[in-house]
């Protein structure tokens, strides 16, 4: 069966009109209309026939179609109640597509996906970080996450220590994955056009190279350290409620100066600090 390409401005306008739909700002709907971008995302995700893919927010099925054409088995979670009827038509004839209508933050992903799945998504910008951190922190059996995010979020995800954009989100993501920016996408590739440039980011999920005794506590310490960026590490941790004497003991064990700021610490430093702090409290 030959399927017309959805990733096209005329096709997208036609579909929206036929279903009497308008892109919802509230749901972060910016539909891809550039088939070249769809192909590049599928390539970045290294899709082989039979790959199990979770797509978050399939919209009218643009990226989904690229994934299905590459042979992926796609399970998609879409919040917008109006879109199942659209997807039924736009993706009619594709066998390996399953749709779950719901909120990705509420769906039990482990129940709907087999082990070793990939996530591929053009994420709604209003909850990008929340979705990514939820996927990574839940330690799901996901191998690769390829997502479109705002360029500024991509920069934070890939930041190195000692820079202003290196933050708690950077550490949380890089703790669980090797992250790189695959390519940038201009606003013209979407309908409607977003106000910002986007980037496609590839996260190769792996075991952390640094040993952490308690991951929840590690994340708590990272968040507390970055809580007040302009304060020293010692003062930030005191401000977050840790006891000064416990912090000082932990800093000594971890061989970290309390006068540093959170942005000066590597992921290994945070691991050593949280391990030492856990022992001292
Ligand atoms: N994948 C399509 C594309 O590339 O053209 C649409 C991408 S659009 C940026 C984001 C999609 O995520 C929209 O279809 C929106 O309805 C959906 N969405 C928003 N919030 C969601 C949530 N919490 N759970 C699942 N889908 C959501």
């Amino acid at each position: 069966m030959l399927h017309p390409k959805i990733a096209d401005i005329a096709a997208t306008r036609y579909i929206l009109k036929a279903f009497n739909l308008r892109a919802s700002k509230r749901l972060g709907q910016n539909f891809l209309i550039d088939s070249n971008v769809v192909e590049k995302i599928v390539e970045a995700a290294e899709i082989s026939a039979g790959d199990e893919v979770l797509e978050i927010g399939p919209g009218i099925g643009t990226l989904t179609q690229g994934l299905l054409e590459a042979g992926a088995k796609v399970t998609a979670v879409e919040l917008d109640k109006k879109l199942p009827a659209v997807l039924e038509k736009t993706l009619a004839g594709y066998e390996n597509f399953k749709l779950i209508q719901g909120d990705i933050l509420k769906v039990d992903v482990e129940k709907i996906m087999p082990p070793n799945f990939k996530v591929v998504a053009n994420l709604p910008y209003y909850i990008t970080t929340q979705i990514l951190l939820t996927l990574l922190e839940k330690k799901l059996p996901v191998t690769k996450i390829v997502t479109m995010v705002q360029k500024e979020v991509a920069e934070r995800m890939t930041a190195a220590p000692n820079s202003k954009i290196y933050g708690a989100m950077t550490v949380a993501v890089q703790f669980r994955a090797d992250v790189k920016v695959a390519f940038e996408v201009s606003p013209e590739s979407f309908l409607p056009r977003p106000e910002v440039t986007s980037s496609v980011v590839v996260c190769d999920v792996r075991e952390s190279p640094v040993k952490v005794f308690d991951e929840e506590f590690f994340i708590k310490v990272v968040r507390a350290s970055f809580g007040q960026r302009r304060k020293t590490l010692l003062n930030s941790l005191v401000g977050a409620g840790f006891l000064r004497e416990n912090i000082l003991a932990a800093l000594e064990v971890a061989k970290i100066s309390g006068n540093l700021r959170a942005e000066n610490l590597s992921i290994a430093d945070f691991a050593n600090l949280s391990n030492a702090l856990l022992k001292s409290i």
Side-chain angles (χ1 to χ4, degrees), residues 187-245:
E188 290 81 55
S189 295
F190 303 89
L191 184 79
R193 288 183 188 183
E195 277 156 23
V196 291
T197 300
S198 307
S199 294
V200 171
V201 175
V202 177
C203 299
D204 281 304
V205 184
R206 44 123 180 84
E207 276 299 314
S208 163
V210 288
K211 189 95 196 90
V212 161
F213 300 151
D214 179 333
E215 288 189 15
E216 241 174 79
F217 185 72
F218 166 77
I219 295 293
K220 192 174 155 190
V221 171
V222 170
R223 293 216 168 106
S225 304
F226 282 102
Q228 288 150 304
R229 286 194 77 108
R230 265 177 289 158
K231 286 198 177 174
T232 61
L233 189 58
L234 176 61
N235 286 340
S236 292
L237 291 170
V238 170
F242 291 100
L243 289 181
R244 182 176 285 268
E245 70 246 38

Short mmCIF file of all heavy atoms in Angstrom, two decimals, residues 187-245:
data_model
loop_
_atom_site.label_atom_id
_atom_site.label_comp_id
_atom_site.label_asym_id
_atom_site.label_seq_id
_atom_site.Cartn_x
_atom_site.Cartn_y
_atom_site.Cartn_z
N PRO A 187 12.49 26.91 12.85
CA PRO A 187 11.03 27.03 13.07
C PRO A 187 10.22 26.73 11.81
O PRO A 187 9.08 26.28 11.89
CB PRO A 187 10.85 28.48 13.50
CG PRO A 187 12.17 28.89 14.06
CD PRO A 187 13.20 28.13 13.30
N GLU A 188 10.79 26.96 10.62
CA GLU A 188 10.04 26.75 9.36
C GLU A 188 9.66 25.28 9.13
O GLU A 188 8.84 24.98 8.26
CB GLU A 188 10.86 27.20 8.14
CG GLU A 188 11.05 28.69 8.02
CD GLU A 188 12.16 29.19 8.91
OE1 GLU A 188 13.28 28.68 8.81
OE2 GLU A 188 11.89 30.08 9.76
N SER A 189 10.27 24.38 9.89
CA SER A 189 9.95 22.96 9.70
C SER A 189 8.68 22.52 10.41
O SER A 189 8.33 21.34 10.41
CB SER A 189 11.11 22.09 10.20
OG SER A 189 12.24 22.33 9.42
N PHE A 190 8.00 23.49 11.07
CA PHE A 190 6.80 23.16 11.85
C PHE A 190 5.60 24.00 11.43
O PHE A 190 5.75 25.12 10.95
CB PHE A 190 7.04 23.45 13.34
CG PHE A 190 8.21 22.73 13.95
CD1 PHE A 190 9.47 23.30 13.94
CD2 PHE A 190 8.04 21.49 14.55
CE1 PHE A 190 10.56 22.65 14.52
CE2 PHE A 190 9.12 20.84 15.14
CZ PHE A 190 10.38 21.43 15.12
N LEU A 191 4.43 23.45 11.69
CA LEU A 191 3.18 24.21 11.56
C LEU A 191 2.41 24.05 12.86
O LEU A 191 2.09 22.91 13.23
CB LEU A 191 2.35 23.68 10.38
CG LEU A 191 1.08 24.47 10.10
CD1 LEU A 191 1.41 25.74 9.34
CD2 LEU A 191 0.07 23.62 9.34
N PRO A 192 2.06 25.08 13.59
CA PRO A 192 2.55 26.44 13.41
C PRO A 192 4.02 26.56 13.78
O PRO A 192 4.56 25.67 14.46
CB PRO A 192 1.68 27.23 14.40
CG PRO A 192 1.30 26.24 15.45
CD PRO A 192 1.20 24.92 14.77
N ARG A 193 4.63 27.67 13.34
CA ARG A 193 6.06 27.87 13.64
C ARG A 193 6.27 28.22 15.11
O ARG A 193 5.63 29.16 15.59
CB ARG A 193 6.61 29.03 12.81
CG ARG A 193 6.75 28.68 11.37
CD ARG A 193 7.36 29.84 10.63
NE ARG A 193 7.32 29.54 9.21
CZ ARG A 193 7.82 30.30 8.28
NH1 ARG A 193 8.40 31.44 8.61
NH2 ARG A 193 7.75 29.95 7.02
N PRO A 194 7.15 27.49 15.79
CA PRO A 194 7.45 27.89 17.18
C PRO A 194 8.32 29.15 17.17
O PRO A 194 8.89 29.49 16.13
CB PRO A 194 8.21 26.70 17.73
CG PRO A 194 8.78 26.00 16.54
CD PRO A 194 7.90 26.31 15.37
N GLU A 195 8.43 29.79 18.32
CA GLU A 195 9.24 31.02 18.36
C GLU A 195 10.73 30.72 18.48
O GLU A 195 11.55 31.60 18.34
CB GLU A 195 8.80 31.90 19.53
CG GLU A 195 7.59 32.74 19.17
CD GLU A 195 6.78 33.14 20.37
OE1 GLU A 195 7.32 33.18 21.48
OE2 GLU A 195 5.57 33.40 20.18
N VAL A 196 11.06 29.46 18.77
CA VAL A 196 12.45 29.12 19.06
C VAL A 196 12.99 28.09 18.06
O VAL A 196 12.24 27.40 17.40
CB VAL A 196 12.57 28.52 20.48
CG1 VAL A 196 12.29 29.58 21.53
CG2 VAL A 196 11.62 27.35 20.64
N THR A 197 14.33 28.03 18.01
CA THR A 197 14.98 26.97 17.23
C THR A 197 14.95 25.70 18.06
O THR A 197 14.96 25.74 19.29
CB THR A 197 16.44 27.38 16.93
OG1 THR A 197 16.41 28.59 16.19
CG2 THR A 197 17.19 26.33 16.14
N SER A 198 14.90 24.56 17.39
CA SER A 198 14.86 23.28 18.10
C SER A 198 16.13 22.49 17.81
O SER A 198 16.85 22.79 16.87
CB SER A 198 13.66 22.46 17.64
OG SER A 198 12.49 23.22 17.74
N SER A 199 16.36 21.48 18.62
CA SER A 199 17.49 20.56 18.38
C SER A 199 16.99 19.14 18.60
O SER A 199 16.15 18.91 19.47
CB SER A 199 18.62 20.81 19.37
OG SER A 199 19.20 22.06 19.17
N VAL A 200 17.55 18.23 17.83
CA VAL A 200 17.27 16.82 18.09
C VAL A 200 18.43 16.27 18.91
O VAL A 200 19.60 16.43 18.55
CB VAL A 200 17.09 16.03 16.77
CG1 VAL A 200 17.02 14.54 17.04
CG2 VAL A 200 15.82 16.50 16.07
N VAL A 201 18.08 15.69 20.04
CA VAL A 201 19.09 15.20 20.99
C VAL A 201 19.02 13.68 21.06
O VAL A 201 17.93 13.11 21.07
CB VAL A 201 18.80 15.79 22.39
CG1 VAL A 201 19.73 15.22 23.43
CG2 VAL A 201 18.93 17.29 22.36
N VAL A 202 20.19 13.05 21.08
CA VAL A 202 20.23 11.59 21.21
C VAL A 202 20.81 11.24 22.59
O VAL A 202 21.91 11.67 22.93
CB VAL A 202 21.13 10.96 20.11
CG1 VAL A 202 21.23 9.45 20.29
CG2 VAL A 202 20.60 11.30 18.72
N CYS A 203 20.03 10.49 23.37
CA CYS A 203 20.52 10.02 24.68
C CYS A 203 20.72 8.51 24.58
O CYS A 203 19.76 7.76 24.37
CB CYS A 203 19.49 10.26 25.78
SG CYS A 203 19.06 11.98 26.03
N ASP A 204 21.97 8.07 24.69
CA ASP A 204 22.24 6.63 24.74
C ASP A 204 22.25 6.23 26.20
O ASP A 204 23.19 6.56 26.94
CB ASP A 204 23.58 6.32 24.05
CG ASP A 204 23.44 6.32 22.54
OD1 ASP A 204 22.58 5.56 22.03
OD2 ASP A 204 24.13 7.10 21.87
N VAL A 205 21.20 5.52 26.61
CA VAL A 205 21.04 5.21 28.03
C VAL A 205 22.01 4.10 28.42
O VAL A 205 22.20 3.13 27.67
CB VAL A 205 19.58 4.78 28.32
CG1 VAL A 205 19.37 4.54 29.80
CG2 VAL A 205 18.61 5.85 27.81
N ARG A 206 22.68 4.25 29.56
CA ARG A 206 23.66 3.26 30.04
C ARG A 206 23.70 3.30 31.56
O ARG A 206 23.16 4.19 32.18
CB ARG A 206 25.05 3.57 29.45
CG ARG A 206 25.43 5.05 29.51
CD ARG A 206 26.68 5.34 30.25
NE ARG A 206 26.98 6.76 30.26
CZ ARG A 206 26.47 7.64 31.13
NH1 ARG A 206 25.62 7.25 32.07
NH2 ARG A 206 26.81 8.92 31.08
N GLU A 207 24.41 2.28 32.11
CA GLU A 207 24.64 2.29 33.55
C GLU A 207 25.54 3.48 33.86
O GLU A 207 26.41 3.82 33.05
CB GLU A 207 25.37 1.00 33.96
CG GLU A 207 24.46 -0.20 34.18
CD GLU A 207 23.45 0.02 35.28
OE1 GLU A 207 23.82 0.52 36.35
OE2 GLU A 207 22.27 -0.31 35.05
N SER A 208 25.36 4.08 35.00
CA SER A 208 26.22 5.20 35.34
C SER A 208 27.66 4.72 35.55
O SER A 208 27.88 3.68 36.19
CB SER A 208 25.72 5.84 36.63
OG SER A 208 26.74 6.64 37.15
N PRO A 209 28.65 5.45 35.03
CA PRO A 209 30.05 5.05 35.26
C PRO A 209 30.49 5.28 36.71
O PRO A 209 31.50 4.74 37.14
CB PRO A 209 30.84 5.93 34.29
CG PRO A 209 29.93 7.03 33.88
CD PRO A 209 28.52 6.61 34.16
N VAL A 210 29.73 6.10 37.44
CA VAL A 210 30.10 6.32 38.85
C VAL A 210 29.09 5.63 39.76
O VAL A 210 27.91 5.60 39.49
CB VAL A 210 30.17 7.84 39.20
CG1 VAL A 210 31.37 8.48 38.57
CG2 VAL A 210 28.90 8.57 38.81
N LYS A 211 29.63 5.04 40.84
CA LYS A 211 28.77 4.26 41.74
C LYS A 211 28.07 5.17 42.74
O LYS A 211 28.69 5.97 43.43
CB LYS A 211 29.67 3.24 42.47
CG LYS A 211 28.91 2.24 43.27
CD LYS A 211 28.68 0.94 42.50
CE LYS A 211 27.61 0.10 43.14
NZ LYS A 211 26.24 0.35 42.67
N VAL A 212 26.75 5.02 42.80
CA VAL A 212 25.97 5.82 43.74
C VAL A 212 25.19 4.86 44.62
O VAL A 212 24.54 3.94 44.12
CB VAL A 212 25.03 6.75 42.94
CG1 VAL A 212 23.89 7.24 43.78
CG2 VAL A 212 25.81 7.93 42.37
N PHE A 213 25.27 5.04 45.97
CA PHE A 213 24.61 4.09 46.88
C PHE A 213 23.09 4.19 46.79
O PHE A 213 22.39 3.20 46.86
CB PHE A 213 25.04 4.35 48.34
CG PHE A 213 26.52 4.20 48.56
CD1 PHE A 213 27.15 4.93 49.58
CD2 PHE A 213 27.30 3.34 47.78
CE1 PHE A 213 28.51 4.81 49.79
CE2 PHE A 213 28.66 3.22 48.00
CZ PHE A 213 29.27 3.96 49.00
N ASP A 214 22.60 5.44 46.68
CA ASP A 214 21.16 5.64 46.69
C ASP A 214 20.83 6.73 45.65
O ASP A 214 21.13 7.91 45.88
CB ASP A 214 20.73 6.07 48.11
CG ASP A 214 19.23 6.33 48.22
OD1 ASP A 214 18.61 6.68 47.20
OD2 ASP A 214 18.70 6.21 49.34
N GLU A 215 20.24 6.32 44.53
CA GLU A 215 20.04 7.27 43.42
C GLU A 215 19.08 8.39 43.76
O GLU A 215 19.25 9.52 43.33
CB GLU A 215 19.59 6.53 42.16
CG GLU A 215 20.74 5.74 41.59
CD GLU A 215 20.47 5.14 40.23
OE1 GLU A 215 19.51 5.53 39.56
OE2 GLU A 215 21.25 4.25 39.85
N GLU A 216 18.05 8.06 44.53
CA GLU A 216 17.09 9.10 44.92
C GLU A 216 17.77 10.17 45.77
O GLU A 216 17.57 11.36 45.59
CB GLU A 216 15.96 8.47 45.74
CG GLU A 216 14.61 8.63 45.08
CD GLU A 216 13.55 7.87 45.83
OE1 GLU A 216 13.09 8.36 46.87
OE2 GLU A 216 13.21 6.74 45.39
N PHE A 217 18.63 9.70 46.68
CA PHE A 217 19.34 10.63 47.54
C PHE A 217 20.34 11.46 46.72
O PHE A 217 20.51 12.66 46.93
CB PHE A 217 20.06 9.85 48.66
CG PHE A 217 20.72 10.74 49.68
CD1 PHE A 217 19.96 11.45 50.60
CD2 PHE A 217 22.10 10.88 49.71
CE1 PHE A 217 20.56 12.29 51.53
CE2 PHE A 217 22.71 11.71 50.64
CZ PHE A 217 21.94 12.41 51.56
N PHE A 218 20.99 10.80 45.76
CA PHE A 218 21.93 11.48 44.85
C PHE A 218 21.22 12.67 44.16
O PHE A 218 21.71 13.80 44.16
CB PHE A 218 22.46 10.48 43.82
CG PHE A 218 23.17 11.07 42.63
CD1 PHE A 218 24.49 11.53 42.74
CD2 PHE A 218 22.56 11.15 41.39
CE1 PHE A 218 25.16 12.06 41.64
CE2 PHE A 218 23.21 11.67 40.29
CZ PHE A 218 24.52 12.13 40.42
N ILE A 219 20.04 12.39 43.60
CA ILE A 219 19.30 13.44 42.90
C ILE A 219 18.89 14.55 43.88
O ILE A 219 18.94 15.73 43.55
CB ILE A 219 18.03 12.85 42.20
CG1 ILE A 219 18.44 11.86 41.09
CG2 ILE A 219 17.12 13.93 41.63
CD1 ILE A 219 19.15 12.47 39.88
N LYS A 220 18.54 14.15 45.10
CA LYS A 220 18.16 15.13 46.13
C LYS A 220 19.34 16.07 46.43
O LYS A 220 19.18 17.29 46.52
CB LYS A 220 17.73 14.36 47.39
CG LYS A 220 17.06 15.20 48.43
CD LYS A 220 16.54 14.33 49.57
CE LYS A 220 16.44 15.17 50.82
NZ LYS A 220 16.17 14.39 52.00
N VAL A 221 20.53 15.47 46.56
CA VAL A 221 21.73 16.27 46.86
C VAL A 221 22.06 17.19 45.67
O VAL A 221 22.40 18.36 45.85
CB VAL A 221 22.94 15.34 47.19
CG1 VAL A 221 24.24 16.13 47.28
CG2 VAL A 221 22.67 14.59 48.49
N VAL A 222 21.92 16.67 44.45
CA VAL A 222 22.20 17.49 43.26
C VAL A 222 21.25 18.68 43.23
O VAL A 222 21.66 19.83 43.06
CB VAL A 222 22.06 16.65 41.96
CG1 VAL A 222 22.12 17.53 40.72
CG2 VAL A 222 23.15 15.58 41.90
N ARG A 223 19.95 18.41 43.43
CA ARG A 223 18.95 19.50 43.40
C ARG A 223 19.24 20.53 44.51
O ARG A 223 19.17 21.73 44.27
CB ARG A 223 17.53 18.95 43.57
CG ARG A 223 17.13 18.10 42.39
CD ARG A 223 15.65 18.25 42.04
NE ARG A 223 15.41 17.65 40.74
CZ ARG A 223 14.79 16.47 40.54
NH1 ARG A 223 14.31 15.81 41.56
NH2 ARG A 223 14.64 16.00 39.33
N ALA A 224 19.57 20.02 45.70
CA ALA A 224 19.85 20.92 46.83
C ALA A 224 21.09 21.77 46.53
O ALA A 224 21.12 22.96 46.81
CB ALA A 224 20.07 20.10 48.10
N SER A 225 22.09 21.17 45.91
CA SER A 225 23.34 21.89 45.62
C SER A 225 23.09 23.04 44.64
O SER A 225 23.70 24.09 44.73
CB SER A 225 24.38 20.95 45.02
OG SER A 225 24.60 19.85 45.88
N PHE A 226 22.21 22.80 43.67
CA PHE A 226 21.93 23.84 42.68
C PHE A 226 20.78 24.75 43.12
O PHE A 226 20.39 25.65 42.39
CB PHE A 226 21.56 23.21 41.32
CG PHE A 226 22.75 22.71 40.54
CD1 PHE A 226 23.07 21.37 40.49
CD2 PHE A 226 23.55 23.61 39.84
CE1 PHE A 226 24.16 20.90 39.77
CE2 PHE A 226 24.64 23.16 39.11
CZ PHE A 226 24.95 21.80 39.07
N GLY A 227 20.25 24.49 44.33
CA GLY A 227 19.07 25.22 44.79
C GLY A 227 19.24 26.72 44.74
O GLY A 227 18.36 27.44 44.29
N GLN A 228 20.38 27.18 45.19
CA GLN A 228 20.66 28.62 45.14
C GLN A 228 22.01 28.78 44.47
O GLN A 228 23.05 28.71 45.12
CB GLN A 228 20.67 29.20 46.55
CG GLN A 228 19.27 29.26 47.15
CD GLN A 228 19.31 29.11 48.64
OE1 GLN A 228 19.83 28.13 49.18
NE2 GLN A 228 18.77 30.09 49.32
N ARG A 229 21.96 28.94 43.16
CA ARG A 229 23.17 28.87 42.33
C ARG A 229 24.28 29.81 42.77
O ARG A 229 25.45 29.52 42.58
CB ARG A 229 22.81 29.18 40.87
CG ARG A 229 22.10 28.07 40.18
CD ARG A 229 22.10 28.35 38.70
NE ARG A 229 23.39 28.06 38.13
CZ ARG A 229 23.63 27.02 37.34
NH1 ARG A 229 22.68 26.20 37.03
NH2 ARG A 229 24.83 26.83 36.86
N ARG A 230 23.88 30.97 43.31
CA ARG A 230 24.93 31.94 43.60
C ARG A 230 25.62 31.66 44.94
O ARG A 230 26.66 32.21 45.24
CB ARG A 230 24.37 33.37 43.56
CG ARG A 230 24.61 33.98 42.16
CD ARG A 230 24.02 35.35 42.04
NE ARG A 230 22.57 35.27 41.99
CZ ARG A 230 21.76 36.28 42.30
NH1 ARG A 230 22.27 37.40 42.73
NH2 ARG A 230 20.46 36.16 42.19
N LYS A 231 25.03 30.78 45.72
CA LYS A 231 25.63 30.45 47.02
C LYS A 231 26.70 29.39 46.87
O LYS A 231 26.72 28.63 45.89
CB LYS A 231 24.55 29.93 47.96
CG LYS A 231 23.64 31.00 48.48
CD LYS A 231 22.90 30.51 49.70
CE LYS A 231 22.03 31.61 50.27
NZ LYS A 231 21.21 31.12 51.36
N THR A 232 27.58 29.31 47.86
CA THR A 232 28.58 28.23 47.85
C THR A 232 27.85 26.91 48.09
O THR A 232 26.72 26.89 48.59
CB THR A 232 29.61 28.42 48.97
OG1 THR A 232 28.90 28.38 50.21
CG2 THR A 232 30.37 29.73 48.82
N LEU A 233 28.56 25.84 47.76
CA LEU A 233 27.99 24.50 47.94
C LEU A 233 27.56 24.30 49.40
O LEU A 233 26.44 23.83 49.67
CB LEU A 233 29.09 23.51 47.55
CG LEU A 233 28.75 22.06 47.43
CD1 LEU A 233 27.65 21.85 46.42
CD2 LEU A 233 30.01 21.29 47.00
N LEU A 234 28.44 24.69 50.31
CA LEU A 234 28.16 24.51 51.74
C LEU A 234 26.87 25.24 52.11
O LEU A 234 25.96 24.65 52.72
CB LEU A 234 29.34 25.03 52.57
CG LEU A 234 29.16 25.00 54.09
CD1 LEU A 234 28.94 23.58 54.59
CD2 LEU A 234 30.37 25.61 54.80
N ASN A 235 26.75 26.49 51.72
CA ASN A 235 25.57 27.27 52.10
C ASN A 235 24.30 26.76 51.42
O ASN A 235 23.23 26.79 52.02
CB ASN A 235 25.79 28.76 51.79
CG ASN A 235 26.75 29.38 52.79
OD1 ASN A 235 26.95 28.84 53.88
ND2 ASN A 235 27.38 30.48 52.42
N SER A 236 24.43 26.31 50.18
CA SER A 236 23.25 25.75 49.50
C SER A 236 22.74 24.53 50.25
O SER A 236 21.53 24.36 50.44
CB SER A 236 23.57 25.34 48.06
OG SER A 236 23.84 26.45 47.29
N LEU A 237 23.66 23.67 50.64
CA LEU A 237 23.25 22.43 51.32
C LEU A 237 22.69 22.73 52.71
O LEU A 237 21.71 22.11 53.14
CB LEU A 237 24.42 21.45 51.40
CG LEU A 237 24.85 20.86 50.03
CD1 LEU A 237 26.15 20.09 50.15
CD2 LEU A 237 23.77 19.94 49.46
N VAL A 238 23.27 23.71 53.40
CA VAL A 238 22.72 24.13 54.70
C VAL A 238 21.31 24.67 54.48
O VAL A 238 20.36 24.31 55.18
CB VAL A 238 23.62 25.20 55.38
CG1 VAL A 238 22.92 25.80 56.60
CG2 VAL A 238 24.97 24.60 55.79
N GLY A 239 21.18 25.51 53.44
CA GLY A 239 19.87 26.10 53.10
C GLY A 239 18.83 25.04 52.79
O GLY A 239 17.64 25.25 53.00
N ALA A 240 19.30 23.89 52.30
CA ALA A 240 18.35 22.82 51.95
C ALA A 240 18.01 21.94 53.15
O ALA A 240 17.24 20.98 53.02
CB ALA A 240 18.93 21.97 50.82
N GLY A 241 18.63 22.25 54.31
CA GLY A 241 18.24 21.54 55.52
C GLY A 241 19.23 20.48 56.02
O GLY A 241 18.98 19.82 57.02
N PHE A 242 20.35 20.30 55.30
CA PHE A 242 21.35 19.34 55.81
C PHE A 242 22.12 20.01 56.96
O PHE A 242 22.30 21.24 56.98
CB PHE A 242 22.34 18.95 54.71
CG PHE A 242 21.72 18.11 53.62
CD1 PHE A 242 21.33 18.67 52.40
CD2 PHE A 242 21.51 16.75 53.82
CE1 PHE A 242 20.76 17.89 51.41
CE2 PHE A 242 20.93 15.96 52.83
CZ PHE A 242 20.55 16.54 51.62
N LEU A 243 22.59 19.20 57.93
CA LEU A 243 23.31 19.76 59.07
C LEU A 243 24.73 20.12 58.68
O LEU A 243 25.42 19.34 58.01
CB LEU A 243 23.35 18.75 60.22
CG LEU A 243 22.02 18.49 60.94
CD1 LEU A 243 22.23 17.49 62.08
CD2 LEU A 243 21.45 19.81 61.48
N ARG A 244 25.16 21.33 59.12
CA ARG A 244 26.48 21.82 58.74
C ARG A 244 27.58 20.80 59.04
O ARG A 244 28.45 20.55 58.21
CB ARG A 244 26.74 23.14 59.50
CG ARG A 244 28.06 23.82 59.18
CD ARG A 244 28.15 25.15 59.90
NE ARG A 244 27.32 26.14 59.24
CZ ARG A 244 27.76 26.96 58.29
NH1 ARG A 244 29.01 26.92 57.92
NH2 ARG A 244 26.96 27.84 57.73
N GLU A 245 27.52 20.19 60.24
CA GLU A 245 28.62 19.27 60.59
C GLU A 245 28.62 18.02 59.68
O GLU A 245 29.68 17.51 59.33
CB GLU A 245 28.58 18.88 62.08
CG GLU A 245 27.43 17.99 62.49
CD GLU A 245 26.48 18.69 63.43
OE1 GLU A 245 26.24 19.90 63.25
OE2 GLU A 245 25.98 18.03 64.35
#
